[in-house]
Every structure is written in C-alpha cells, then in structure tokens.
Amino acid sequence: MELLIEKIKNEGCVLSSSILKVDSFLNHQIDPHLMLEIGKEFAERFADSGITKILTIESSGIAPAVMAGLHLQVPVVFARKRKSLTLVNDLITASVHSFTKEETNEISISNKYLSENDKVLIIDDFLANGQAALGLIEIAIKAKASVEGIGIVIEKGFQEGGRILRNKGYRVESLAILNSLENGIVSFEKSTERKAELA
Ligand code: G4P
C-alpha cells in the first residue's frame, strides 16, 4: 500500500534492529486520512469474506479497525487489556504474552458482542510474534465465531508471527511487510513494494 509505505519511509524511525517507531501516524498521533485509506484497503481485500464483525485489541488496533468497520459496514469490538469498571460479567478471556514488552495481559471482551453467527476479521497495527492475534483467535474460538482473516498494518516479516498464523491456515493480509530494520534502514519485502508501485 503505497501511501503507508511512503509514510513509513518518511516518518518511521528505527529504534533498534527489531523496533520501528511510528508514533507520528499510528501509535500515538493518528493520521485519520491514512487510517481511512487503510480501512478501505482491508475492506477491499476481505470484501468477499462475509465479515460480520471486526475484532481488535486496544489501543493502537482500534483506529485501523474502526475504519475497516466503516468501509465494511460492520461493528468493531476491541479486547481490553485492563479490567473495566463496567465490563465485569460474562467475559471471554485469553492470556497474551508480549515478548517485546516482556509482560502478560489477560485480554477480554463481553460475550454479548461475539457469537457463533459471527464471521470475524481480526485487525491489528503490528504483527511481531503473533501473540496478540493468537489471543484474539482464542477469544473468537471460545465464542464459536469463525475467523475469516487477519488484517495487519505493519508486519515484521523477520519475526515469526506471520509464519505461525499462516501455518495454522489463517489468511493474513499485511499492508506493509518489513524484511529488516538492520543498520537503521527500513527494508520492505519485495511483494509489498511491488504492490505499492502497481497501485
Ligand atoms: P505480537 O502480539 O505480534 O506477539 O507482538 P508483541 O507482543 O511483540 O507486541 C507488543 C506490543 O508492542 C504491541 O503494542 C505491538 O503493537 C507493539 N510492537 C511490537 N513491535 C513493534 C514495533 O516494531 N514498533 C512499534 N511501534 N510497536 C511494536 P501494544 O503494547 O499492544 O501497544 P498499543 O496497541 O497500546 O499501542
């Protein structure tokens, strides 16, 4: 996706060989126009999947997920990482360990908002080791909903999340795939750049 790749090239900051900072448009300040285009791209890629609900996780997954929900005309549910005062009963939960942050969160949603009739599209901002996506898949399975696909804004192709999810048979659509962040340089997977050039 050309707009996203340009944004990463212009504004992304390589913090280390494994971490890309994109605070100016995705993780802190949010670029609404870019988010709208990201939502449109996800909606186009999953147009034939019969999606009835989008599932994401707070906080940075929410903006792209809402925009995808807008384009697909379906509701968006976000899993919470912290206990909520009002969300206490009938929770569906999963445990998510972050290797990047070295912490484990119990994530939860209310069982009111996901059912066996739902066809779910999971959306998240980053795919690193795949633990957040696996936690969201676990929640969908517990609700007996079907997972039709996973939409990721930025996949770090040099970490194992994408391989784990694809090996399990899930359709993973990543709008930008990073090959490497070595030597302070962002290198994109060829297919992502080629798609962007053709767009
Ligand atoms: P995983 O789910 O794929 O296993 O990823 P991981 O646990 O490693 O990621 C933990 C958090 O770190 C997630 O955000 C994820 O988006 C973020 N993250 C991982 N790699 C990068 C990176 O290279 N750059 C940036 N900017 N973030 C990265 P989170 O804790 O859920 O934060 P937020 O959603 O509240 O912003």
Side-chain angles (χ1 to χ4, degrees):
M1 192 189 161
E2 190 172 17
L3 195 59
L4 173 63
I5 286 175
E6 282 310 306
K7 201 82 173 164
I8 295 171
K9 283 180 176 169
N10 293 333
E11 298 182 26
C13 178
V14 178
L15 287 192
S16 70
S17 60
S18 64
I19 300 292
L20 176 72
K21 183 171 174 171
V22 284
D23 271 25
S24 68
F25 61 90
L26 184 58
N27 291 136
H28 192 32
Q29 176 171 264
I30 293 174
D31 179 336
H33 174 66
L34 176 66
M35 290 305 134
L36 196 61
E37 292 302 311
I38 283 172
K40 190 174 164 204
E41 181 72 26
F42 282 136
E44 283 171 6
R45 293 192 192 198
F46 290 98
D48 298 329
S49 301
I51 304 299
T52 63
K53 197 146 289 192
I54 292 177
L55 183 59
T56 188
I57 180 167
E58 64 171 340
S59 56
S60 300
I62 296 175
V66 167
M67 293 307 185
L70 189 65
H71 283 285
L72 285 169
Q73 294 287 290
V74 297
V76 178
V77 181
F78 69 89
R80 289 180 181 271
K81 292 177 191 159
R82 286 164 288 275
K83 297 274 175 263
S84 153
L85 274 182
T86 55
L87 187 66
V88 281
N89 295 322
D90 305 317
L91 298 180
I92 310 174
T93 62
S95 188
V96 172
H97 178 71
S98 167
F99 293 103
T100 308
K101 293 196 165 175
E102 295 179 352
E103 63 182 28
T104 301
N105 285 299
E106 171 135 300
I107 64 168
S108 53
I109 69 160
S110 163
N111 69 1
K112 259 196 329 201
Y113 300 119
L114 203 56
S115 78
E116 58 193 5
N117 299 321
D118 280 315
K119 291 183 160 200
V120 174
L121 171 60
I122 289 172
I123 298 254
D124 208 358
D125 57 336
F126 268 91
L127 176 59
N129 296 295
Q131 298 304 302
L134 289 169
L136 293 172
I137 289 169
E138 189 181 331
I139 283 182
I141 289 171
K142 284 180 177 171
K144 298 191 169 64
S146 68
V147 176
E148 299 300 317
I150 300 164
I152 299 291
V153 180
I154 303 174
E155 174 178 344
K156 292 191 288 183
F158 53 88
Q159 293 186 274
E160 62 180 351
R163 186 180 52 76
I164 291 172
L165 297 172
R166 291 182 181 100
N167 281 349
K168 284 179 179 287
Y170 292 105
R171 177 179 170 200
V172 181
E173 291 284 340
S174 300
L175 305 188
I177 303 181
L178 311 184
N179 255 346
S180 150
L181 294 171
E182 293 297 330
N183 304 315
I185 296 165
V186 185
S187 133
F188 294 89
E189 189 177 272
K190 287 275 174 289
S191 64
T192 329
E193 281 220 288
R194 204 169 326 114
K195 268 186 205 157
E197 279 163 16
L198 293 171

